[in-house]
Amino acid sequence: MDPNRITSKNMIIYITQNALKFLQKAKKNNLYIKRLVVTQCCIPLSTPPTVRKGSPRKPENYYQFNTEGITVFYDRDLIHKSHLTIDTEGFGFSERLMISDWIIKY
């Protein structure tokens, strides 16, 4: 089994090498996947969740997974996905974590 995968029930979370390097540079061993709520709009807006380094304020509202020394918190309000890939986007100071395979269907 790939050491960068987390399996729980039917969910697999893959963390790319770029994301692992990003976390190592930031000296973080936790990340959380959080539902993004957009309230400043007159129509419902569906957006992918955000991925933040560190721990959430209320960890009891998250499912917790562990792999290779990284703790991943997954928001309980998010829909269940069978597979997620955490990667990075941007460069330098604008580099951030993101879910690369989250698809929004309308």
Side-chain angles (χ1 to χ4, degrees):
M1 178 179 240
D2 189 328
N4 298 328
R5 287 188 176 195
I6 308 166
T7 307
S8 176
K9 298 186 181 172
N10 295 333
M11 180 180 243
I12 297 172
I13 299 175
Y14 178 72
I15 304 173
T16 66
Q17 289 299 313
N18 287 340
L20 288 171
K21 287 177 188 174
F22 177 81
L23 289 167
Q24 287 172 350
K25 278 197 275 184
K27 297 181 180 171
K28 298 287 184 180
N29 59 359
N30 298 332
L31 65 86
Y32 61 102
I33 302 169
K34 172 182 166 175
R35 186 171 72 109
L36 180 63
V37 178
V38 178
T39 58
Q40 303 278 330
C41 191
C42 59
I43 59 172
L45 188 59
S46 184
T47 60
T50 61
V51 182
R52 305 276 171 95
K53 58 188 179 203
S55 299
R57 289 185 186 167
K58 295 184 177 182
E60 64 273 9
N61 294 337
Y62 292 79
Y63 297 111
Q64 184 175 330
F65 307 98
N66 294 298
T67 185
E68 287 297 300
I70 304 293
T71 302
V72 178
F73 296 91
Y74 187 82
D75 193 332
R76 291 178 185 261
D77 290 335
L78 285 170
I79 60 171
H80 178 79
K81 296 279 193 175
S82 61
H83 181 269
L84 291 177
T85 302
I86 299 171
D87 202 355
T88 58
E89 68 178 355
F91 298 98
F93 292 113
S94 66
E95 188 175 30
R96 67 185 185 96
L97 295 168
M98 50 92 71
I99 297 177
S100 62
D101 53 0
W102 191 278
I103 298 172
I104 298 172
K105 296 180 183 179
Y106 291 98

